[in-house]
Amino acid sequence: MSYIKIECVLRENCRCGESPVWEEASNSLLFVDIPAKKVCRWDSLSKRVQQVTVEAPVSSVALRQGGGYVATIGTKFCALNWEDRSAVALATVDKDKKNNRFNDGKVDPAGRYFAGTMAEETAPAVLERHQGSLYSLFPDHHVEKYFDQVDISNGLDWSLDHKIFYYIDSLSYSVDAFDYDLQTGKISNRRSVYKLEKEEQIPDGMCIDTEGKLWVACYNGGRVIRLDPETGKRLQTVKLPVVKTTSCCFGGKDYSEMYVTCARDGTDPEGLLQQPEAGGIFKITGLGVKGIPPYPYAG
């Protein structure tokens, strides 16, 4: 076993940091702070952070094939131009649900941007249930809806052979799998591959490694866990010095580092004293596994 090192590389004080994405071209980590309405880009070489503030809660960000980025802002899929700090709506969902917003999103291997919605929370993980849906924005900008009755649409990724879609609806306390058709983007045959244990708390963001194992950030659990989706077994637990761990991705040189986002919102003053790095960006090295590069949106 290699020696695992966990360090806070950016004391950003995110209210709710989410959606970490590595951009190899700029040696940078993209992430969002949802309620602060900010998309951030941290340069791992200069250690500087740039930010773009948008008009509504921004819940995920992704690379775009032609340059720039895409993001889920409020209930809109948007194109994000970093140079002029502008966001342009490509499509809008949940028009009949004024209290909804997007949550986590990620691009599939064919360049479609998958993202799900939820009702706006009254407190962290407290919300009107069954209000969300899962969508994807195709490269031609049309949107497909997969299913509704979602509580908190969260982590998502695809198997290495592109035949399985993994998905988390947080309040089901489960990591689910679907059969996935790369050509059409269709999903079917939903089943649970892992049920979280009590101390693991709430499953949040997720990513896959080059061995096909899943890494899940556990909100209120202060950890990321590594799962084998074929056996349903937990293989590894990595605990962090913050409680509200929200999401994870691989990045850095040859995708051998893991980056983890977390949240401050919902932590009392005493909790913040005990967790001075809450809301920061963490880097984990020495895991002994690598991730795969993020897919860019093809539209």
Side-chain angles (χ1 to χ4, degrees), residues 121 124-126 152 154 168-175 196-205 216-223 225 243-247:
E121 295 162 302
V126 180
I152 301 178
N154 238 318
I168 292 169
D169 179 353
S170 288
L171 298 188
S172 71
Y173 297 92
S174 171
V175 179
L196 273 84
E197 293 175 20
K198 198 170 176 56
E199 75 274 7
E200 291 169 344
Q201 297 282 340
I202 303 173
D204 200 331
V216 178
C218 300
Y219 183 84
N220 283 343
R223 67 191 70 189
I225 55 176
V243 173
K244 297 185 183 295
T245 35
T246 55
S247 194

Side-chain angles (χ1 to χ4, degrees), residues 97 127-133 148-152 169:
K97 297 197 168 171
L127 71 164
E128 188 181 352
R129 297 189 63 171
H130 312 309
Q131 298 304 301
S133 298
D148 52 19
Q149 298 294 309
V150 173
D151 289 323
I152 301 178
D169 179 353

Side-chain angles (χ1 to χ4, degrees), residues 214-234:
L214 301 174
W215 291 83
V216 178
C218 300
Y219 183 84
N220 283 343
R223 67 191 70 189
V224 291
I225 55 176
R226 187 182 191 225
L227 313 175
D228 185 334
E230 292 184 8
T231 63
K233 296 271 188 293
R234 182 183 67 239

Side-chain angles (χ1 to χ4, degrees), residues 28-296:
S28 298
L29 184 78
L30 292 154
F31 61 95
V32 302
D33 185 348
I34 301 178
K37 305 174 183 175
K38 289 193 305 201
V39 183
C40 306
R41 187 170 73 186
W42 174 72
D43 184 318
S44 67
L45 304 179
S46 72
K47 313 294 185 207
R48 285 209 269 285
V49 188
Q50 295 180 313
Q51 299 175 345
V52 172
T53 303
V54 294
E55 64 185 20
V58 53
S59 59
S60 74
V61 62
L63 310 181
R64 194 176 187 188
Q65 211 166 293
Y69 309 110
V70 281
T72 47
I73 301 172
T75 52
K76 296 181 170 82
F77 283 108
C78 296
L80 190 63
N81 183 321
W82 201 260
E83 274 55 55
D84 68 8
R85 305 287 194 265
S86 66
V88 177
L90 302 175
T92 306
V93 304
D94 286 2
K95 290 178 185 166
D96 56 329
K97 297 197 168 171
K98 297 295 174 219
N99 196 38
N100 273 21
R101 66 162 174 84
F102 268 118
N103 201 39
D104 208 353
K106 191 172 280 185
V107 177
D108 82 352
R112 307 174 190 96
Y113 191 5
F114 276 62
T117 57
M118 59 183 281
E120 190 59 86
E121 295 162 302
T122 52
V126 180
L127 71 164
E128 188 181 352
R129 297 189 63 171
H130 312 309
Q131 298 304 301
S133 298
L134 180 69
Y135 297 95
S136 91
L137 179 72
F138 279 60
D140 66 2
H141 299 179
H142 92 271
V143 172
E144 293 210 3
K145 177 176 170 176
Y146 293 102
F147 49 81
D148 52 19
Q149 298 294 309
V150 173
D151 289 323
I152 301 178
S153 193
N154 238 318
L156 55 176
D157 217 329
W158 290 264
S159 62
L160 302 179
D161 65 5
H162 305 159
K163 289 182 175 168
I164 301 171
F165 169 58
Y166 298 109
Y167 175 72
I168 292 169
D169 179 353
S170 288
L171 298 188
S172 71
Y173 297 92
S174 171
V175 179
D176 291 353
F178 295 77
D179 296 343
Y180 166 71
D181 185 321
L182 181 67
Q183 296 331 114
T184 63
K186 292 215 179 328
I187 57 175
S188 58
N189 186 26
R190 186 174 190 168
R191 63 262 184 204
S192 174
V193 293
Y194 183 79
K195 289 276 190 204
L196 273 84
E197 293 175 20
K198 198 170 176 56
E199 75 274 7
E200 291 169 344
Q201 297 282 340
I202 303 173
D204 200 331
M206 169 169 61
C207 67
I208 198 163
D209 64 30
T210 55
E211 296 174 12
K213 308 299 188 277
L214 301 174
W215 291 83
V216 178
C218 300
Y219 183 84
N220 283 343
R223 67 191 70 189
V224 291
I225 55 176
R226 187 182 191 225
L227 313 175
D228 185 334
E230 292 184 8
T231 63
K233 296 271 188 293
R234 182 183 67 239
L235 304 172
Q236 193 175 351
T237 299
V238 180
K239 295 190 177 176
L240 286 91
V242 289
V243 173
K244 297 185 183 295
T245 35
T246 55
S247 194
C248 51
C249 79
F250 284 94
K253 183 174 162 26
D254 58 26
Y255 294 90
S256 62
E257 303 165 347
M258 174 173 279
Y259 288 90
V260 181
T261 52
C262 63
R264 281 173 77 83
D265 275 12
T267 311
D268 60 27
E270 192 185 340
L272 290 175
L273 285 174
Q274 291 166 348
Q275 308 167 58
E277 297 166 329
I281 303 293
F282 289 83
K283 178 170 83 169
I284 306 175
T285 48
L287 288 173
V289 291
K290 294 176 181 177
I292 60 171
Y295 303 108

